[in-house]
Amino acid sequence: MSRTGNRRRGRPPAFSYRETWKGLLRRQSTGLALCCDQFLLELLAKRFGTPLYVYSASTIRSRMIAFDRAFRKIPHTICYSVKANSNLSILRLLANMGCGFDVVSGGELERVLRTDRRLAKNTVFSGVGKTADEMQAALRAGILLFNVESESELSALAECAERSKQTARVALRVNPDVPANTHPYISTGMQRHKFGIPISEARTLYARGFGPRYLKISGVSVHIGSQIIDVKPFAAAMERVTELVRELRADGHKIDYVDAGGGLGIAYEERDVSKFSEHLAGYAEALLRPLRGLKVHLLLEPGRFIVGPAGALLTRVLYRKANGGSRFVVVDAAMNDLVRPSLYRAYHEIVPVRLASPAGTQIVDVVGPVCETGDFFAHDRELPLLQEGDLLALLDVGAYGMALASNYNTRLRPAEVLVDGKSVKVIRRRETMEDVLRPEARF
Ligand code: LLP
């Protein structure tokens, strides 16, 4: 990060350095300190403890607005993918902006309904393993669309809908057999993946959807994976979907919706992100060009793009140590708080909350206290010389950070705070030992 902290030109820098002062009339500079909007992160860490997730509401809003604008040429609904960050206050913030939601479980549906029951009408339900109970709950709530992923699921949904005498609007999630250049665990659009139905078999299955009285075939959906930077696979998938929509309409189906899924990646490593607007425009063009003239309502399910860069994880250096030739910085956050580096070898930028000067550097491994070698945030990373007690911020953790946190090693999950203009709110308090132990029997 540059000393001005303004490396994220082209998109709002949620976290940037600001000069701090002391003395009467702010005479003496005390150096550069990292802020979330107006708030000094070191003060937030002092007040709320570490590890601490900090989110910028203004960044979430402006990313949402930019995303929405990119699709202004076509009728569309943004169905934010709840799995990326499912905190109720984040959902509320997005709902207040007119956002719909993409859920993949009864639990996520419940979060949306508790935010506001009326949001159901803009909610889509995705996922390969919906249970009958989850389908019933979604039918009762009156969701917009079920993204059905197999023939068996279609029958199960038909039964549920029949039983409750409630019509289920259905899109089949097709698997377009398009490779997306991303981590294998989060690539989903190839035939060997568990997701969707092969696009070649879609027409046959759509024909079955005609039968059941309480199923209403309404759309086609696709999602080829996550953290996809190259927009070409999105275009390839959408071309196949468009072709299918034409065939289905010729077969007599009324296809009102195309659900393009999520997956647009963010620049975790790229320092110059002035290409932000270009990238977003390229993505929109990749989806919109094939859809031209098709007259559909487009559904979009972004998750990471909206919330990823809006979050940082604050952690304090506990110890420095050297084993053989390796130098370690042991911090108080661990893989249970942020698993992405361990699980996907994901890169997250790590920056000191206060920039010391003169700034020497050192190559270190940043690791947590969990008892696994896999518990790391960075290997061989060049960082400024750090002292025990220093604060670090892991950046771009607003998506799939807290959402994937666990209690492994009986560690308490971090608190989350939301910075919104002049206010900072705790949107999830730090867990207590009682929270964690309560569900367990004590024989
Ligand atoms: N729609 C569907 C059907 C999905 O499966 C997903 C993500 C999304 C939308 C949102 O994708 P996004 O816009 O956030 O890329 N834990 C992994 C990511 C898993 C993504 C799963 N599905 C990670 O930390 O990278």
Side-chain angles (χ1 to χ4, degrees):
M1 186 176 285
S2 73
R3 281 175 69 84
T4 59
N6 208 10
R7 72 181 174 85
R8 284 144 193 261
R9 263 168 294 132
R11 69 171 148 135
F15 300 93
S16 54
Y17 286 104
R18 194 131 34 82
E19 187 126 36
T20 54
W21 305 88
K22 74 169 183 196
L24 274 179
L25 303 172
R26 298 159 40 102
R27 278 260 169 74
Q28 209 179 333
S29 168
T30 47
L32 292 168
L34 195 63
C35 297
C36 176
D37 300 341
Q38 308 302 313
F39 285 87
L40 282 168
L41 292 181
E42 52 200 17
L43 294 186
L44 296 185
K46 204 160 164 192
R47 185 157 154 210
F48 302 109
T50 54
L52 179 71
Y53 275 98
V54 181
Y55 308 114
S56 155
S58 64
T59 299
I60 296 177
R61 284 197 196 95
S62 48
R63 296 184 71 85
M64 182 56 196
I65 290 168
F67 195 92
D68 191 43
R69 271 203 200 122
F71 290 93
R72 65 190 174 279
K73 289 190 198 141
I74 185 172
H76 67 275
T77 304
I78 298 178
C79 296
Y80 165 74
S81 192
V82 173
K83 65 174 83 64
N85 187 324
S86 51
N87 185 290
L88 292 171
S89 302
I90 304 278
L91 301 187
R92 155 76 55 214
L93 187 162
L94 291 167
N96 286 346
M97 300 184 76
C99 208
F101 296 93
D102 156 48
V103 300
V104 290
S105 70
E108 286 190 353
L109 175 65
E110 192 56 34
R111 283 181 179 273
V112 171
L113 297 180
R114 284 192 194 195
T115 303
D116 186 339
R117 298 202 78 78
R118 292 168 298 183
L119 295 169
K121 66 174 191 309
N122 280 333
T123 296
V124 301
F125 193 174
S126 311
V128 287
K130 304 176 192 77
T131 65
D133 283 350
E134 289 175 322
M135 289 176 185
Q136 289 293 3
L139 281 165
R140 248 192 331 268
I143 65 161
L144 175 64
L145 196 65
F146 286 85
N147 285 329
V148 170
E149 302 223 12
S150 66
E151 183 169 3
S152 307
E153 189 194 329
L154 191 66
S155 312
L157 180 60
E159 258 172 52
C160 282
E162 172 83 47
R163 215 175 309 130
S164 60
K165 311 250 172 296
Q166 270 155 331
T167 301
R169 274 178 297 275
V170 172
L172 293 190
R173 173 168 171 186
V174 294
N175 186 321
D177 203 21
V178 166
N181 182 18
T182 185
H183 190 283
Y185 289 5
I186 54 175
S187 169
T188 56
M190 296 286 290
Q191 212 133 91
R192 62 173 186 277
H193 299 142
K194 69 179 174 182
F195 296 99
I197 50 166
I199 197 157
S200 52
E201 295 164 25
R203 277 174 92 176
T204 321
L205 198 48
Y206 269 98
R208 299 227 174 105
F210 264 134
R213 181 156 159 222
Y214 287 96
L215 291 190
K216 182 167 183 259
I217 293 295
S218 307
V220 177
S221 94
V222 72
H223 171 78
I224 56 172
S226 194
Q227 184 50 20
I228 300 168
I229 297 291
D230 179 9
V231 299
K232 286 195 280 302
F234 290 116
M238 204 38 73
E239 271 152 27
R240 289 179 196 183
V241 164
T242 304
E243 211 179 295
L244 177 64
V245 170
R246 294 214 162 90
E247 289 170 0
L248 293 172
R249 282 179 172 166
D251 292 346
H253 294 284
K254 192 164 176 298
I255 303 294
D256 297 325
Y257 297 100
V258 165
D259 183 339
L264 181 60
I266 59 172
Y268 285 106
E269 292 190 51
E270 178 73 60
R271 276 171 184 266
D272 172 18
V273 286
S274 53
K275 298 188 200 92
F276 164 79
S277 315
E278 223 174 278
H279 189 213
L280 184 54
Y283 171 69
E285 183 59 18
L287 298 186
L288 294 180
R289 184 176 299 182
L291 289 173
R292 212 158 278 158
L294 201 63
K295 291 214 165 47
V296 286
H297 188 101
L298 181 62
L299 302 173
L300 297 144
E301 302 173 358
R304 184 190 320 262
F305 185 86
I306 304 294
V307 291
L313 176 61
L314 301 187
T315 183
R316 208 174 274 284
V317 175
L318 292 174
Y319 304 110
R320 287 156 24 117
K321 64 183 280 183
N323 276 359
S326 306
R327 287 174 195 282
F328 296 95
V329 172
V330 185
V331 295
D332 67 358
M335 64 188 288
N336 73 294
D337 305 304
L338 174 70
V339 77
R340 301 195 71 257
S342 309
L343 192 57
Y344 314 113
R345 295 199 144 264
Y347 179 95
H348 283 274
E349 196 165 344
I350 303 177
V351 293
V353 164
R354 184 162 280 279
L355 278 186
S357 55
T361 63
Q362 201 168 34
I363 307 282
V364 293
D365 284 7
V366 181
V367 301
V370 160
C371 296
E372 289 201 27
T373 303
D375 177 28
F376 66 89
F377 293 128
H379 284 140
D380 298 326
R381 187 76 61 91
E382 184 173 1
L383 288 181
L385 289 174
L386 295 166
Q387 306 300 325
E388 294 174 1
D390 282 355
L391 275 173
L392 294 173
L394 286 110
L395 301 183
D396 300 315
V397 299
Y400 307 110
M402 186 61 175
L404 279 143
S406 76
N407 294 116
Y408 188 40
N409 277 206
T410 310
R411 289 171 50 89
L412 307 175
R413 279 179 293 176
E416 294 174 287
V417 298
L418 180 66
V419 168
D420 192 359
K422 292 199 169 112
S423 88
V424 53
K425 288 196 196 90
V426 177
I427 57 171
R428 191 178 202 275
R429 65 162 171 76
R430 192 172 298 284
E431 269 176 350
T432 63
M433 196 49 77
E434 246 338 278
D435 292 332
V436 175
L437 296 182
R438 196 174 300 125
E440 294 182 29
R442 283 162 221 208
F443 290 116

